[in-house]
Amino acid sequence: MISSTKFVVKKLKSFIDLTDNEISTFSSMPSRLITLSAGREIVHEGQRAHNAFILLDGWVASYKLLPDGTRQIIDFQIPGDFLGLRSLLLRTSDHSFEAITEITIAEVSAQNIKSTFAKSPRLASAILWAASRDEAMVVEHLVNIGRRSAIVRTAHFLLELGIRLNLIGVGTKNSYPCPLSQYLLADALGLSAIHINRVLRQLREQNLMTFQKGIVHFDNLEKLIELADFQVGYLDQDEPIIRNDTGHTGH
Amino acid sequence: MISSTKFVVKKLKSFIDLTDNEISTFSSMPSRLITLSAGREIVHEGQRAHNAFILLDGWVASYKLLPDGTRQIIDFQIPGDFLGLRSLLLRTSDHSFEAITEITIAEVSAQNIKSTFAKSPRLASAILWAASRDEAMVVEHLVNIGRRSAIVRTAHFLLELGIRLNLIGVGTKNSYPCPLSQYLLADALGLSAIHINRVLRQLREQNLMTFQKGIVHFDNLEKLIELADFQVGYLDQDEPIIRNDTGHTGH
């Protein structure tokens, strides 16, 4: 278990080149660390919440229980992602969270987030950029559900997950560790577990990709991107979007 | 036609209490104003775009054309919303935009956005907060599609639109102007126009709300909120989430 903020800092730095000072401000935000085993719920009071969490290690599923009793998985959180930030800062309704693997989370109080945001607006914009980017990706994949074929949907989802993991330095361009069961994938993609199984077999038999023993491996990345109609534009980012203004940027 | 940045400034100020200086920096970002009539496309080059737009007046639909030729409306933009910001700053794929009414948009170059973000991080965080909030709302309504009954879905959508308009000072708690046709509503909610028509009649007959002659009116807001299972938490915001740090905030 790696219990540090290195993943989230890597992610934030892909937006804005944070200074050492800003990174240390960020690292001092959490008040305590919590470790939970797989299957546990992360207790979060929703609309009236007074805290949020940073996922430091492990994977989480965020979901919504619908009035008919079904569970829609909205997204998976990976190290570096915030949990519960939306209800604090975005004033929208919140989701429930379940640990998929053993996880370590850092608790941050609303008060602490707000005072840090007031003191360090560059840090605030990096955190909000990350939140907005994640939401935008969720929009993409929700649009996919029910509109694209099962194979396209699955390929798109697994490609996107690879990009997100790359951003925090996990995995390579062709391969990454993935603890998601076929049941979880099914709930996220609006398919049955049997259907997911069949789709993964098809992808394997076409020599496009394999998902076995907790490893996703892209055997033919180019063809897979083509099949999934995946926009590769955001693959090619190799420097922060916003540079430091300590030099001679702007005018 | 009101051609000013007042709507977007009102929206941004609901997150952080921007100074006059910051507001003037924001207002000087756009390079030119463009007016388009209803039905026109907003040309935007997607992944390789070198500009974005601020919607100053009128309504826009953002949509995605799917491989099977159908059109999924992702969201509607109202005055104060950005168009095309996601492909510039969020590195996700972008949507197409169509003017629903006559619109006025202000063009902002990528270069200008990035240098303003570097110079004024508080402004950056306000803009990113707004973007993230909008994405989070889209997530909510995409989750609704196909999972909730047509009447609940429609009620939820029209309540949410009211909240968004309130944030920029348009309409009242019980009523707002809405130029959306039943066809557009249908495309956004995954229903047929005939079905939308029937649902609106039901809502009217139950004395919950009416949508006639371009005006949405909530006749019984409380009961409608209950029917739609609408989380009212974000209704009750009456001051900026982040205060100025010029006083004695923090510790």
Side-chain angles (χ1 to χ4, degrees), chain A residues 47-48 64 66 70 72 74 86 89-91 93 95 118 125 128-129 133 135 139-140 143 147 231 233-234 236 241 245, chain B residues 47-48 64 66 72 74 86 89-91 93 95 118 121-122 125 128-129 133 135 139-140 143 147 231 233-234 236 241 245:
Chain A
Q47 292 289 331
R48 302 280 164 211
K64 229 178 153 73
L66 300 166
T70 58
Q72 168 75 50
I74 309 294
R86 44 193 287 152
L89 292 178
L90 304 179
R91 305 276 174 157
S93 69
H95 306 142
S125 71
L128 288 162
W129 168 82
R133 186 176 181 284
E135 296 287 351
V139 169
E140 293 305 310
V143 169
R147 293 281 180 162
Q231 312 257 13
Y234 50 105
D236 55 14
I241 294 171
D245 58 347
Chain B
Q47 292 290 330
R48 302 283 162 209
K64 230 179 152 73
L66 299 166
Q72 168 76 49
I74 308 294
R86 42 192 288 151
L89 291 178
L90 303 180
R91 304 275 173 159
S93 69
H95 306 141
R122 274 165 45 93
S125 71
L128 288 161
W129 169 81
R133 186 176 182 283
E135 296 287 352
V139 169
E140 293 304 310
V143 169
R147 293 280 180 161
Q231 310 259 13
Y234 51 105
D236 55 13
I241 295 169
D245 58 347

Short mmCIF file of all heavy atoms in Angstrom, two decimals, chain A residues 47-48 64 66 70 72 74 86 89-91 93 95 118 125 128-129 133 135 139-140 143 147 231 233-234 236 241 245, chain B residues 47-48 64 66 72 74 86 89-91 93 95 118 121-122 125 128-129 133 135 139-140 143 147 231 233-234 236 241 245:
data_model
loop_
_atom_site.label_atom_id
_atom_site.label_comp_id
_atom_site.label_asym_id
_atom_site.label_seq_id
_atom_site.Cartn_x
_atom_site.Cartn_y
_atom_site.Cartn_z
N GLN A 47 -25.75 15.64 0.58
CA GLN A 47 -25.93 17.09 0.48
C GLN A 47 -25.40 17.90 1.66
O GLN A 47 -24.93 19.01 1.50
CB GLN A 47 -27.43 17.41 0.33
CG GLN A 47 -28.04 16.95 -0.98
CD GLN A 47 -27.55 17.76 -2.16
OE1 GLN A 47 -27.22 18.92 -2.01
NE2 GLN A 47 -27.48 17.17 -3.32
N ARG A 48 -25.49 17.33 2.83
CA ARG A 48 -25.10 18.09 4.02
C ARG A 48 -23.70 17.71 4.50
O ARG A 48 -23.34 17.94 5.65
CB ARG A 48 -26.11 17.87 5.15
CG ARG A 48 -27.52 18.25 4.79
CD ARG A 48 -27.72 19.76 4.90
NE ARG A 48 -28.94 20.15 4.19
CZ ARG A 48 -29.11 21.33 3.59
NH1 ARG A 48 -28.14 22.22 3.61
NH2 ARG A 48 -30.23 21.61 2.97
N LYS A 64 -25.35 5.13 -7.99
CA LYS A 64 -26.61 5.73 -7.58
C LYS A 64 -27.62 4.60 -7.46
O LYS A 64 -27.71 3.76 -8.35
CB LYS A 64 -27.06 6.70 -8.67
CG LYS A 64 -27.46 8.05 -8.14
CD LYS A 64 -27.85 8.97 -9.26
CE LYS A 64 -28.82 10.00 -8.76
NZ LYS A 64 -28.17 11.01 -7.91
N LEU A 66 -31.28 3.59 -7.74
CA LEU A 66 -32.44 4.19 -8.41
C LEU A 66 -33.71 3.74 -7.72
O LEU A 66 -33.73 2.74 -7.00
CB LEU A 66 -32.42 3.79 -9.88
CG LEU A 66 -31.14 4.28 -10.57
CD1 LEU A 66 -30.94 3.61 -11.90
CD2 LEU A 66 -31.17 5.79 -10.73
N THR A 70 -32.54 -0.75 -8.68
CA THR A 70 -31.33 -1.12 -9.42
C THR A 70 -30.21 -0.16 -9.06
O THR A 70 -30.42 0.93 -8.55
CB THR A 70 -31.55 -1.08 -10.95
OG1 THR A 70 -31.97 0.24 -11.31
CG2 THR A 70 -32.59 -2.09 -11.37
N GLN A 72 -26.94 1.85 -10.54
CA GLN A 72 -26.21 2.29 -11.72
C GLN A 72 -24.83 2.76 -11.28
O GLN A 72 -24.72 3.71 -10.50
CB GLN A 72 -26.96 3.44 -12.41
CG GLN A 72 -26.17 4.16 -13.48
CD GLN A 72 -26.05 3.35 -14.78
OE1 GLN A 72 -27.05 2.85 -15.30
NE2 GLN A 72 -24.83 3.22 -15.30
N ILE A 74 -21.79 4.84 -11.75
CA ILE A 74 -21.57 6.09 -12.50
C ILE A 74 -20.14 6.12 -13.02
O ILE A 74 -19.87 6.51 -14.14
CB ILE A 74 -21.77 7.33 -11.60
CG1 ILE A 74 -23.09 7.28 -10.86
CG2 ILE A 74 -21.63 8.62 -12.41
CD1 ILE A 74 -24.31 7.37 -11.74
N ARG A 86 -18.00 16.94 -5.19
CA ARG A 86 -19.10 17.58 -5.91
C ARG A 86 -20.19 18.12 -5.01
O ARG A 86 -20.71 19.20 -5.24
CB ARG A 86 -19.69 16.66 -6.97
CG ARG A 86 -19.89 15.22 -6.49
CD ARG A 86 -20.17 14.30 -7.65
NE ARG A 86 -21.51 14.52 -8.14
CZ ARG A 86 -21.89 14.30 -9.37
NH1 ARG A 86 -21.03 13.87 -10.24
NH2 ARG A 86 -23.13 14.50 -9.74
N LEU A 89 -18.59 21.41 -3.36
CA LEU A 89 -18.25 22.58 -4.16
C LEU A 89 -19.15 22.78 -5.36
O LEU A 89 -19.27 23.88 -5.87
CB LEU A 89 -16.80 22.48 -4.65
CG LEU A 89 -15.73 22.59 -3.58
CD1 LEU A 89 -14.36 22.41 -4.21
CD2 LEU A 89 -15.81 23.95 -2.88
N LEU A 90 -19.76 21.70 -5.83
CA LEU A 90 -20.52 21.83 -7.07
C LEU A 90 -22.01 21.97 -6.82
O LEU A 90 -22.77 22.29 -7.71
CB LEU A 90 -20.25 20.65 -7.99
CG LEU A 90 -18.77 20.43 -8.31
CD1 LEU A 90 -18.61 19.22 -9.20
CD2 LEU A 90 -18.19 21.66 -8.98
N ARG A 91 -22.42 21.71 -5.57
CA ARG A 91 -23.83 21.86 -5.23
C ARG A 91 -24.73 21.03 -6.13
O ARG A 91 -25.72 21.51 -6.65
CB ARG A 91 -24.25 23.34 -5.33
CG ARG A 91 -23.41 24.25 -4.49
CD ARG A 91 -23.92 24.25 -3.08
NE ARG A 91 -23.02 25.03 -2.23
CZ ARG A 91 -23.40 25.58 -1.09
NH1 ARG A 91 -24.63 25.44 -0.68
NH2 ARG A 91 -22.55 26.22 -0.36
N SER A 93 -26.25 16.81 -6.52
CA SER A 93 -26.49 15.68 -5.62
C SER A 93 -25.29 14.74 -5.69
O SER A 93 -24.53 14.74 -6.64
CB SER A 93 -27.76 14.96 -6.02
OG SER A 93 -27.58 14.30 -7.25
N HIS A 95 -23.22 10.87 -4.94
CA HIS A 95 -23.37 9.43 -5.14
C HIS A 95 -22.95 8.68 -3.89
O HIS A 95 -22.41 9.26 -2.97
CB HIS A 95 -22.52 9.00 -6.32
CG HIS A 95 -22.80 9.79 -7.55
ND1 HIS A 95 -21.84 10.18 -8.43
CD2 HIS A 95 -23.97 10.29 -8.02
CE1 HIS A 95 -22.40 10.88 -9.40
NE2 HIS A 95 -23.68 10.96 -9.18
N ALA A 118 -9.27 29.41 -1.00
CA ALA A 118 -9.19 30.87 -0.90
C ALA A 118 -7.72 31.31 -0.89
O ALA A 118 -7.36 32.31 -1.51
CB ALA A 118 -9.90 31.35 0.36
N SER A 125 -7.72 25.77 -8.99
CA SER A 125 -8.07 25.58 -10.39
C SER A 125 -7.59 24.21 -10.89
O SER A 125 -8.25 23.57 -11.70
CB SER A 125 -7.57 26.74 -11.27
OG SER A 125 -6.19 26.72 -11.40
N LEU A 128 -10.17 21.71 -9.60
CA LEU A 128 -11.44 21.85 -10.34
C LEU A 128 -11.29 21.38 -11.77
O LEU A 128 -12.22 20.83 -12.36
CB LEU A 128 -11.94 23.29 -10.27
CG LEU A 128 -12.47 23.66 -8.89
CD1 LEU A 128 -12.54 25.17 -8.72
CD2 LEU A 128 -13.85 23.03 -8.66
N TRP A 129 -10.11 21.59 -12.35
CA TRP A 129 -9.85 21.07 -13.70
C TRP A 129 -9.98 19.54 -13.69
O TRP A 129 -10.63 18.95 -14.55
CB TRP A 129 -8.45 21.48 -14.20
CG TRP A 129 -8.04 20.74 -15.43
CD1 TRP A 129 -8.40 21.04 -16.71
CD2 TRP A 129 -7.23 19.57 -15.50
NE1 TRP A 129 -7.86 20.13 -17.57
CE2 TRP A 129 -7.13 19.21 -16.86
CE3 TRP A 129 -6.57 18.80 -14.54
CZ2 TRP A 129 -6.41 18.11 -17.29
CZ3 TRP A 129 -5.85 17.70 -14.97
CH2 TRP A 129 -5.78 17.36 -16.32
N ARG A 133 -12.74 17.41 -15.73
CA ARG A 133 -12.28 16.45 -16.72
C ARG A 133 -12.92 15.07 -16.47
O ARG A 133 -13.37 14.40 -17.39
CB ARG A 133 -10.77 16.36 -16.63
CG ARG A 133 -10.12 15.50 -17.67
CD ARG A 133 -8.62 15.60 -17.49
NE ARG A 133 -7.94 14.82 -18.50
CZ ARG A 133 -7.83 13.51 -18.49
NH1 ARG A 133 -8.39 12.83 -17.51
NH2 ARG A 133 -7.20 12.87 -19.45
N GLU A 135 -15.72 14.46 -14.85
CA GLU A 135 -17.16 14.53 -15.15
C GLU A 135 -17.39 14.46 -16.65
O GLU A 135 -18.31 13.79 -17.12
CB GLU A 135 -17.76 15.85 -14.62
CG GLU A 135 -17.74 16.04 -13.12
CD GLU A 135 -18.74 15.17 -12.38
OE1 GLU A 135 -19.57 14.51 -13.02
OE2 GLU A 135 -18.65 15.14 -11.14
N VAL A 139 -19.64 11.79 -18.80
CA VAL A 139 -20.66 12.16 -19.78
C VAL A 139 -20.47 11.34 -21.05
O VAL A 139 -21.42 10.73 -21.57
CB VAL A 139 -20.62 13.67 -20.11
CG1 VAL A 139 -21.49 13.99 -21.31
CG2 VAL A 139 -21.06 14.49 -18.90
N GLU A 140 -19.23 11.28 -21.53
CA GLU A 140 -18.94 10.49 -22.73
C GLU A 140 -19.43 9.06 -22.59
O GLU A 140 -20.05 8.51 -23.47
CB GLU A 140 -17.43 10.44 -23.02
CG GLU A 140 -16.80 11.74 -23.42
CD GLU A 140 -17.46 12.38 -24.62
OE1 GLU A 140 -17.67 11.70 -25.62
OE2 GLU A 140 -17.80 13.57 -24.51
N VAL A 143 -23.20 8.60 -22.48
CA VAL A 143 -23.79 8.75 -23.81
C VAL A 143 -23.67 7.43 -24.58
O VAL A 143 -24.57 7.03 -25.31
CB VAL A 143 -23.11 9.90 -24.60
CG1 VAL A 143 -23.53 9.89 -26.06
CG2 VAL A 143 -23.46 11.24 -23.97
N ARG A 147 -26.43 3.25 -26.76
CA ARG A 147 -26.41 3.84 -28.09
C ARG A 147 -25.38 3.15 -28.97
O ARG A 147 -25.47 3.18 -30.18
CB ARG A 147 -26.06 5.33 -28.02
CG ARG A 147 -27.11 6.17 -27.36
CD ARG A 147 -28.26 6.45 -28.31
NE ARG A 147 -29.28 7.26 -27.67
CZ ARG A 147 -30.20 7.93 -28.35
NH1 ARG A 147 -30.24 7.91 -29.65
NH2 ARG A 147 -31.11 8.61 -27.71
N GLN A 231 -11.52 9.11 -29.53
CA GLN A 231 -10.84 10.35 -29.90
C GLN A 231 -9.49 10.40 -29.21
O GLN A 231 -9.41 10.53 -28.00
CB GLN A 231 -11.67 11.55 -29.45
CG GLN A 231 -13.12 11.45 -29.84
CD GLN A 231 -13.44 12.33 -31.04
OE1 GLN A 231 -12.52 12.84 -31.72
NE2 GLN A 231 -14.70 12.53 -31.30
N GLY A 233 -7.22 12.62 -29.27
CA GLY A 233 -6.69 13.97 -29.02
C GLY A 233 -6.06 14.14 -27.66
O GLY A 233 -5.03 14.78 -27.52
N TYR A 234 -6.69 13.56 -26.64
CA TYR A 234 -6.16 13.81 -25.30
C TYR A 234 -5.10 12.80 -24.87
O TYR A 234 -4.69 12.77 -23.73
CB TYR A 234 -7.27 13.95 -24.26
CG TYR A 234 -8.33 12.89 -24.21
CD1 TYR A 234 -8.34 11.95 -23.19
CD2 TYR A 234 -9.37 12.86 -25.14
CE1 TYR A 234 -9.34 11.00 -23.10
CE2 TYR A 234 -10.38 11.91 -25.05
CZ TYR A 234 -10.36 10.99 -24.03
OH TYR A 234 -11.34 10.06 -23.95
N ASP A 236 -2.17 12.88 -26.35
CA ASP A 236 -0.87 13.43 -26.70
C ASP A 236 -0.42 14.61 -25.84
O ASP A 236 0.32 15.47 -26.28
CB ASP A 236 -0.84 13.81 -28.18
CG ASP A 236 -1.97 14.77 -28.53
OD1 ASP A 236 -2.59 15.31 -27.60
OD2 ASP A 236 -2.23 14.96 -29.72
N ILE A 241 -1.08 22.11 -19.18
CA ILE A 241 -1.88 22.97 -20.04
C ILE A 241 -1.62 24.44 -19.71
O ILE A 241 -1.49 25.27 -20.58
CB ILE A 241 -3.38 22.61 -19.87
CG1 ILE A 241 -3.61 21.18 -20.39
CG2 ILE A 241 -4.28 23.60 -20.61
CD1 ILE A 241 -4.98 20.62 -20.08
N ASP A 245 3.22 31.47 -14.39
CA ASP A 245 3.29 32.83 -14.92
C ASP A 245 4.46 33.59 -14.31
O ASP A 245 4.53 34.81 -14.33
CB ASP A 245 1.99 33.59 -14.71
CG ASP A 245 1.63 33.66 -13.25
OD1 ASP A 245 2.24 32.92 -12.46
OD2 ASP A 245 0.75 34.44 -12.89
N GLN B 47 -11.21 18.55 -31.47
CA GLN B 47 -9.94 18.26 -30.79
C GLN B 47 -8.84 19.29 -31.05
O GLN B 47 -8.02 19.55 -30.20
CB GLN B 47 -9.43 16.89 -31.22
CG GLN B 47 -10.28 15.73 -30.73
CD GLN B 47 -10.18 15.52 -29.24
OE1 GLN B 47 -9.15 15.81 -28.65
NE2 GLN B 47 -11.24 15.03 -28.63
N ARG B 48 -8.79 19.80 -32.24
CA ARG B 48 -7.69 20.71 -32.57
C ARG B 48 -8.12 22.18 -32.50
O ARG B 48 -7.51 23.05 -33.11
CB ARG B 48 -7.17 20.40 -33.98
CG ARG B 48 -6.68 19.00 -34.15
CD ARG B 48 -5.29 18.82 -33.53
NE ARG B 48 -5.03 17.41 -33.33
CZ ARG B 48 -4.24 16.94 -32.37
NH1 ARG B 48 -3.63 17.75 -31.54
NH2 ARG B 48 -4.05 15.64 -32.24
N LYS B 64 -24.25 15.09 -29.86
CA LYS B 64 -23.29 14.17 -30.42
C LYS B 64 -24.00 13.38 -31.51
O LYS B 64 -25.11 12.90 -31.29
CB LYS B 64 -22.83 13.21 -29.32
CG LYS B 64 -21.33 13.09 -29.22
CD LYS B 64 -20.93 12.15 -28.11
CE LYS B 64 -19.61 11.53 -28.44
NZ LYS B 64 -18.49 12.49 -28.30
N LEU B 66 -24.20 10.07 -33.40
CA LEU B 66 -23.73 8.72 -33.12
C LEU B 66 -23.54 7.96 -34.42
O LEU B 66 -24.09 8.33 -35.46
CB LEU B 66 -24.72 8.04 -32.19
CG LEU B 66 -24.85 8.80 -30.87
CD1 LEU B 66 -26.06 8.35 -30.09
CD2 LEU B 66 -23.59 8.63 -30.03
N GLN B 72 -27.89 12.56 -30.23
CA GLN B 72 -28.19 12.60 -28.80
C GLN B 72 -27.88 14.00 -28.29
O GLN B 72 -26.73 14.44 -28.35
CB GLN B 72 -27.33 11.57 -28.06
CG GLN B 72 -27.34 11.70 -26.53
CD GLN B 72 -28.62 11.20 -25.88
OE1 GLN B 72 -29.08 10.09 -26.18
NE2 GLN B 72 -29.22 12.01 -25.01
N ILE B 74 -26.89 16.37 -25.60
CA ILE B 74 -26.19 16.15 -24.33
C ILE B 74 -26.69 17.15 -23.29
O ILE B 74 -26.89 16.82 -22.14
CB ILE B 74 -24.66 16.37 -24.49
CG1 ILE B 74 -24.10 15.56 -25.65
CG2 ILE B 74 -23.93 16.05 -23.20
CD1 ILE B 74 -24.15 14.08 -25.46
N ARG B 86 -14.23 22.47 -23.05
CA ARG B 86 -13.77 21.14 -22.66
C ARG B 86 -12.67 20.61 -23.56
O ARG B 86 -11.72 19.99 -23.08
CB ARG B 86 -14.90 20.15 -22.57
CG ARG B 86 -15.92 20.25 -23.70
CD ARG B 86 -17.17 19.45 -23.42
NE ARG B 86 -16.91 18.04 -23.52
CZ ARG B 86 -17.56 17.11 -22.83
NH1 ARG B 86 -18.50 17.47 -21.98
NH2 ARG B 86 -17.28 15.85 -22.99
N LEU B 89 -9.39 22.70 -22.53
CA LEU B 89 -8.78 22.58 -21.20
C LEU B 89 -8.94 21.20 -20.58
O LEU B 89 -8.19 20.81 -19.72
CB LEU B 89 -9.40 23.60 -20.25
CG LEU B 89 -9.06 25.06 -20.53
CD1 LEU B 89 -9.79 25.94 -19.54
CD2 LEU B 89 -7.56 25.30 -20.44
N LEU B 90 -9.96 20.47 -21.02
CA LEU B 90 -10.24 19.21 -20.35
C LEU B 90 -9.70 18.02 -21.12
O LEU B 90 -9.66 16.91 -20.63
CB LEU B 90 -11.74 19.04 -20.12
CG LEU B 90 -12.38 20.17 -19.31
CD1 LEU B 90 -13.86 19.92 -19.14
CD2 LEU B 90 -11.72 20.31 -17.96
N ARG B 91 -9.30 18.29 -22.37
CA ARG B 91 -8.72 17.21 -23.18
C ARG B 91 -9.65 16.02 -23.28
O ARG B 91 -9.25 14.88 -23.09
CB ARG B 91 -7.38 16.74 -22.56
CG ARG B 91 -6.39 17.85 -22.40
CD ARG B 91 -5.63 18.07 -23.66
NE ARG B 91 -4.78 19.24 -23.56
CZ ARG B 91 -3.74 19.45 -24.32
NH1 ARG B 91 -3.40 18.57 -25.22
NH2 ARG B 91 -3.03 20.53 -24.19
N SER B 93 -13.20 14.64 -25.71
CA SER B 93 -13.75 14.91 -27.03
C SER B 93 -14.85 15.96 -26.92
O SER B 93 -15.42 16.17 -25.86
CB SER B 93 -14.30 13.63 -27.64
OG SER B 93 -15.44 13.23 -26.94
N HIS B 95 -18.34 18.24 -28.46
CA HIS B 95 -19.64 18.05 -29.07
C HIS B 95 -19.86 19.05 -30.19
O HIS B 95 -19.08 19.96 -30.36
CB HIS B 95 -20.72 18.24 -28.01
CG HIS B 95 -20.51 17.37 -26.82
ND1 HIS B 95 -20.74 17.78 -25.54
CD2 HIS B 95 -20.04 16.11 -26.73
CE1 HIS B 95 -20.46 16.80 -24.72
NE2 HIS B 95 -20.02 15.78 -25.40
N ALA B 118 -3.35 31.73 -16.37
CA ALA B 118 -2.05 31.81 -15.70
C ALA B 118 -1.97 33.08 -14.85
O ALA B 118 -1.44 33.07 -13.74
CB ALA B 118 -0.92 31.78 -16.73
N PRO B 121 -5.58 33.09 -11.39
CA PRO B 121 -6.03 31.74 -11.01
C PRO B 121 -7.38 31.72 -10.30
O PRO B 121 -8.09 30.71 -10.36
CB PRO B 121 -4.92 31.22 -10.11
CG PRO B 121 -4.08 32.39 -9.76
CD PRO B 121 -4.27 33.42 -10.81
N ARG B 122 -7.75 32.83 -9.65
CA ARG B 122 -9.06 32.85 -9.00
C ARG B 122 -10.18 32.83 -10.04
O ARG B 122 -11.20 32.15 -9.89
CB ARG B 122 -9.21 34.09 -8.12
CG ARG B 122 -8.64 33.91 -6.70
CD ARG B 122 -8.47 35.23 -5.99
NE ARG B 122 -9.62 36.10 -6.15
CZ ARG B 122 -10.64 36.16 -5.29
NH1 ARG B 122 -10.65 35.40 -4.21
NH2 ARG B 122 -11.63 36.99 -5.48
N SER B 125 -10.35 29.34 -11.40
CA SER B 125 -11.07 28.36 -10.58
C SER B 125 -12.58 28.59 -10.66
O SER B 125 -13.35 27.63 -10.64
CB SER B 125 -10.54 28.34 -9.14
OG SER B 125 -10.90 29.51 -8.46
N LEU B 128 -13.65 27.03 -13.98
CA LEU B 128 -13.60 25.57 -13.91
C LEU B 128 -14.68 25.02 -12.97
O LEU B 128 -15.22 23.94 -13.20
CB LEU B 128 -12.20 25.11 -13.48
CG LEU B 128 -11.17 25.31 -14.59
CD1 LEU B 128 -9.75 25.29 -14.02
CD2 LEU B 128 -11.32 24.22 -15.66
N TRP B 129 -14.98 25.77 -11.92
CA TRP B 129 -16.08 25.36 -11.05
C TRP B 129 -17.38 25.30 -11.84
O TRP B 129 -18.13 24.33 -11.76
CB TRP B 129 -16.23 26.33 -9.86
CG TRP B 129 -17.50 26.11 -9.09
CD1 TRP B 129 -17.72 25.16 -8.12
CD2 TRP B 129 -18.73 26.82 -9.24
NE1 TRP B 129 -19.01 25.26 -7.67
CE2 TRP B 129 -19.66 26.26 -8.34
CE3 TRP B 129 -19.13 27.88 -10.05
CZ2 TRP B 129 -20.96 26.72 -8.21
CZ3 TRP B 129 -20.43 28.35 -9.94
CH2 TRP B 129 -21.33 27.77 -9.02
N ARG B 133 -19.53 21.96 -12.53
CA ARG B 133 -20.91 21.91 -12.04
C ARG B 133 -21.86 21.51 -13.17
O ARG B 133 -22.75 20.68 -12.99
CB ARG B 133 -21.26 23.28 -11.49
CG ARG B 133 -22.60 23.36 -10.82
CD ARG B 133 -22.77 24.76 -10.25
NE ARG B 133 -24.02 24.87 -9.55
CZ ARG B 133 -25.19 25.02 -10.15
NH1 ARG B 133 -25.28 25.05 -11.45
NH2 ARG B 133 -26.30 25.12 -9.43
N GLU B 135 -21.11 19.86 -15.92
CA GLU B 135 -20.88 18.46 -16.29
C GLU B 135 -21.56 17.53 -15.29
O GLU B 135 -22.14 16.52 -15.66
CB GLU B 135 -19.38 18.13 -16.31
CG GLU B 135 -18.55 18.87 -17.34
CD GLU B 135 -18.77 18.40 -18.78
OE1 GLU B 135 -19.45 17.39 -18.99
OE2 GLU B 135 -18.26 19.08 -19.68
N VAL B 139 -24.34 14.60 -15.94
CA VAL B 139 -24.24 13.21 -15.46
C VAL B 139 -25.56 12.79 -14.83
O VAL B 139 -26.10 11.74 -15.14
CB VAL B 139 -23.07 13.05 -14.46
CG1 VAL B 139 -23.13 11.70 -13.77
CG2 VAL B 139 -21.73 13.23 -15.18
N GLU B 140 -26.08 13.65 -13.94
CA GLU B 140 -27.35 13.34 -13.29
C GLU B 140 -28.44 13.04 -14.31
O GLU B 140 -29.17 12.08 -14.20
CB GLU B 140 -27.84 14.52 -12.44
CG GLU B 140 -27.00 14.83 -11.24
CD GLU B 140 -26.84 13.64 -10.32
OE1 GLU B 140 -27.84 13.01 -9.96
OE2 GLU B 140 -25.69 13.34 -9.98
N VAL B 143 -28.00 9.80 -16.24
CA VAL B 143 -28.34 8.64 -15.42
C VAL B 143 -29.85 8.42 -15.43
O VAL B 143 -30.34 7.30 -15.46
CB VAL B 143 -27.81 8.81 -13.98
CG1 VAL B 143 -28.38 7.75 -13.05
CG2 VAL B 143 -26.29 8.77 -13.95
N ARG B 147 -33.87 5.09 -17.03
CA ARG B 147 -33.94 4.42 -15.73
C ARG B 147 -35.14 4.92 -14.94
O ARG B 147 -35.64 4.25 -14.07
CB ARG B 147 -32.67 4.69 -14.92
CG ARG B 147 -31.44 4.07 -15.49
CD ARG B 147 -31.37 2.60 -15.12
NE ARG B 147 -30.18 1.99 -15.68
CZ ARG B 147 -29.67 0.85 -15.25
NH1 ARG B 147 -30.22 0.19 -14.25
NH2 ARG B 147 -28.61 0.33 -15.83
N GLN B 231 -33.13 16.57 -5.53
CA GLN B 231 -32.35 16.94 -4.34
C GLN B 231 -32.28 18.46 -4.25
O GLN B 231 -31.65 19.10 -5.08
CB GLN B 231 -30.92 16.41 -4.47
CG GLN B 231 -30.86 14.94 -4.84
CD GLN B 231 -30.56 14.05 -3.66
OE1 GLN B 231 -30.64 14.49 -2.50
NE2 GLN B 231 -30.20 12.82 -3.93
N GLY B 233 -30.86 20.35 -2.11
CA GLY B 233 -29.68 20.90 -1.42
C GLY B 233 -29.06 22.09 -2.12
O GLY B 233 -28.66 23.05 -1.49
N TYR B 234 -28.97 22.03 -3.44
CA TYR B 234 -28.27 23.11 -4.13
C TYR B 234 -29.17 24.30 -4.48
O TYR B 234 -28.77 25.20 -5.19
CB TYR B 234 -27.47 22.61 -5.33
CG TYR B 234 -28.15 21.73 -6.34
CD1 TYR B 234 -28.52 22.26 -7.58
CD2 TYR B 234 -28.39 20.40 -6.11
CE1 TYR B 234 -29.10 21.45 -8.53
CE2 TYR B 234 -28.98 19.59 -7.05
CZ TYR B 234 -29.33 20.12 -8.27
OH TYR B 234 -29.89 19.32 -9.21
N ASP B 236 -30.36 26.16 -2.05
CA ASP B 236 -30.32 27.12 -0.95
C ASP B 236 -29.01 27.89 -0.83
O ASP B 236 -28.61 28.30 0.23
CB ASP B 236 -30.65 26.41 0.36
CG ASP B 236 -29.72 25.23 0.61
OD1 ASP B 236 -28.69 25.12 -0.09
OD2 ASP B 236 -30.00 24.43 1.50
N ILE B 241 -19.38 30.31 -2.54
CA ILE B 241 -18.83 29.17 -1.82
C ILE B 241 -17.46 29.52 -1.24
O ILE B 241 -17.14 29.19 -0.11
CB ILE B 241 -18.74 27.95 -2.76
CG1 ILE B 241 -20.17 27.54 -3.15
CG2 ILE B 241 -18.02 26.79 -2.11
CD1 ILE B 241 -20.25 26.53 -4.27
N ASP B 245 -9.99 36.11 0.20
CA ASP B 245 -9.04 35.87 1.28
C ASP B 245 -8.34 37.17 1.69
O ASP B 245 -7.32 37.19 2.33
CB ASP B 245 -8.00 34.82 0.90
CG ASP B 245 -7.24 35.22 -0.34
OD1 ASP B 245 -7.68 36.17 -1.02
OD2 ASP B 245 -6.22 34.58 -0.63
#
